Amino acid sequence: MFFVTPAYAEEAPAAATGTDAHAAPAAGEVHTETGVPAGEHARGPFPPFDSTTYASQLLWLVITFGVFYLLMQKVIAPRIGAILDQRHTRISQDLEEASRLKAEADAAVRTYEGELAAARAKSHAIGSAARDAAKVKAEEDRRAVEASLSEKIKAAEARIADIKAKAFADVGTIAEETASAVVEQLIGGTAAQADVAAAVAAAKKEA
């Protein structure tokens, strides 16, 4: 941004002279915007490189830099700082929330693992108790079956003993009847009962 103090020349009103406003400037007339004499655009230096305007250029540079610095310090920098603070605060809150959620998740995992271990221990205890109860019941059933079998064996032995006793008691009678039948078949007559009994008794003694 460059500004040059224009040198104004006295100009007669176009209406008074009757000349055209866009007519060529007179000799020695200075341009109202650049301060360069009319007709000398090609001969004059480029304005930024004109040594006669260095002072004004430096002045406006300082003014522009100061305004820009104040604008940065008072407006832009505070807004950027506020945005950065908001983002920092939000990031800190997000990190705290993530830490809290992680702590809750870890606590939930520990609780789940503890409950799982307790459930396993309880199931193991229940299984052990069930096995022990089954063993006790099986032992009781075995003893009951053995006792029942023992009683049945004793009853069978008693019946067998009674049958044997009856059988031995009837052996003499059967032998006498058999001997009488044999004698009758051999001699064709009937033997005396007393003789048959005496013979059977003598055979028992010899046996």
Side-chain angles (χ1 to χ4, degrees), residues 137-151:
K137 190 174 185 308
E139 184 67 20
E140 291 177 354
D141 293 341
R142 185 183 65 81
R143 290 178 180 177
V145 170
E146 289 179 352
S148 176
L149 290 175
S150 179
E151 291 178 357

Side-chain angles (χ1 to χ4, degrees), residues 87-194:
R87 290 186 178 180
H88 178 72
T89 303
R90 183 176 297 175
I91 290 171
S92 299
Q93 291 176 354
D94 292 340
L95 290 175
E96 291 177 357
E97 183 69 13
S99 299
R100 185 181 65 81
L101 293 176
K102 184 178 182 300
E104 291 179 356
D106 293 339
V109 169
R110 287 193 296 270
T111 302
Y112 171 75
E113 290 178 351
E115 292 179 353
L116 182 61
R120 287 178 178 174
K122 186 176 181 180
S123 63
H124 181 70
I126 292 173
S128 298
R131 285 194 299 270
D132 295 339
K135 288 180 181 179
V136 171
K137 190 174 185 308
E139 184 67 20
E140 291 177 354
D141 293 341
R142 185 183 65 81
R143 290 178 180 177
V145 170
E146 289 179 352
S148 176
L149 290 175
S150 179
E151 291 178 357
K152 289 181 179 180
I153 290 171
K154 289 180 180 179
E157 290 177 350
R159 289 181 61 188
I160 291 171
D162 291 340
I163 292 170
K164 288 172 69 177
K166 290 180 179 180
F168 284 126
D170 294 337
V171 166
T173 305
I174 294 171
E176 291 177 358
E177 292 177 355
T178 304
S180 298
V182 170
V183 169
E184 185 178 356
Q185 290 292 331
L186 291 175
I187 62 175
T190 303
Q193 187 68 30

Side-chain angles (χ1 to χ4, degrees), residues 58-72:
L58 291 174
L59 176 62
W60 283 108
L61 179 62
V62 171
I63 293 173
T64 304
F65 180 78
V67 171
F68 182 72
Y69 178 77
L70 291 176
L71 184 64
M72 285 288 295

